[in-house]
Amino acid sequence: MPSKRTDDGPDLTSSPKPPQPLHPSIISRLDPEYITFHNKYFQYVTPSHTRPWDPSSRIPPPSGTFPSTETDPLEVGGIKDWKVGTRSGREGTKARVRVYTPKGEAPISGWPVVFFIPGGGWVYGGLDNQASFSTNMCVRAKCVVVSLDHRLAPEDPYPAALEDAIDALRWLVQNASDLLRVDTTRIAVAGCSSGGNIAAALVLTAPQLNLPIHIIFQLLLVPALDNTASTSTSWHINQHAPWLTPERMLWFRGMYLPNKSDWATWETSPILAPGELLRGVPETWIAIGGADILMEEGRKYGDRLKGEGVQVEVRLYEGGPHAVAVMDGDVMHLGRRLVTDAVDALSQAFSTV
């Protein structure tokens, strides 16, 4: 699952067998720029799922150990952090948000606002997570961005992250006018990877919350939408794709969803939601990578929404692995194009272009 921080930095010492070499069967389908970066760095990273769990793995390595795959955050009008959670986790943690505000005066009706849930496999996160994408949305779509830092598994498994998303959305509504200067008739919900899973579940849940809001747009980047998927179903097409392998995805799933009985609920697998819930979903834009094991569930979720009359665009990024959404720096032109396309779709939804 994409995140600014998911593993220890690479061991670039000579190694006869790197932990994550590219599988021969996938190389011809990968973006050449990604292949270059993977062979130089990613193949030397020891995947988290192959080591005993240690919460210290969330601590970023020393600066310079591993090159950033994202662009530097853009300059915005203001950044402020808030504690919004009403529930403490087992480590005493609560949900927090980081609010990015555009430069200039807010419109009379208030800024449009994006409630954004970054990725991290439900296990990794932090307020700095995907700051580049948050600032790109803020500056280029001229909107306030409320980025969620939810409680993390395995210390706080499901439903903690979804509960935090609900609490943060309530906080947004309660503080929309005075604190945030946002227009609650122009709300978008966005998420990346595991954050896309939570975002999709939140959008399905929102009508039941009796909040005075109008979610007009859903933006999902390489989302995890089916926690019943496996190599015998939708994963088989890209089962040898890099970074997010079936083994690693199952490790993330086990950390977040230790009770297998939760895997097939729509709150954890939005693709399984009943039609009456899907019909209430707003206009949706979904980015999927052509070399990502989650590709098919993103495509199929789009098909399910279309079947219920929802306006949907599913954009395929050929050659893109799962990490393409956080590779918009000098690493991959494909990542830069994905970010631009996503921000353009958001701008059009808000009519800020």
Side-chain angles (χ1 to χ4, degrees), residues 21-31 35 235-242 246 290-291 293:
L22 290 173
H23 194 278
S25 68
I26 199 72
I27 292 175
S28 64
R29 296 177 47 220
L30 283 168
D31 183 277
I35 293 173
W235 290 353
H236 74 279
I237 297 173
N238 285 319
Q239 63 181 305
H240 296 300
I293 66 167

Side-chain angles (χ1 to χ4, degrees), residues 99-102 111-114 138 142-146 180-182:
V99 178
Y100 300 85
T101 305
W111 296 108
V113 57
V114 181
C138 178
K142 300 180 181 65
C143 62
V144 166
V145 177
V146 178
L180 302 177
R181 296 181 298 163
V182 300

Side-chain angles (χ1 to χ4, degrees), residues 202-278:
L202 180 65
V203 167
L204 293 169
T205 303
Q208 306 169 31
L209 301 178
N210 296 318
L211 295 174
I213 60 172
H214 184 46
I215 299 175
I216 64 169
F217 195 64
Q218 176 176 237
L219 182 75
L220 305 176
L221 311 182
V222 294
L225 297 166
D226 185 359
N227 272 306
T228 68
S230 67
T231 53
S232 63
T233 57
S234 61
W235 290 353
H236 74 279
I237 297 173
N238 285 319
Q239 63 181 305
H240 296 300
W243 196 252
L244 186 61
T245 62
E247 294 79 15
R248 193 174 192 201
M249 184 62 201
L250 289 171
W251 179 82
F252 280 128
R253 182 187 294 172
M255 298 287 259
Y256 179 56
L257 299 168
N259 297 320
K260 290 187 177 182
S261 59
D262 292 326
W263 293 9
T265 67
W266 63 258
E267 291 92 344
T268 66
S269 294
I271 200 169
L272 302 180
E276 57 266 28
L277 287 182
L278 295 177

Side-chain angles (χ1 to χ4, degrees), residues 72 110 137 156 209 215 226 290 315:
D72 291 334
M137 289 190 290
D156 292 292
L209 301 178
I215 299 175
D226 185 359
R315 188 73 63 89

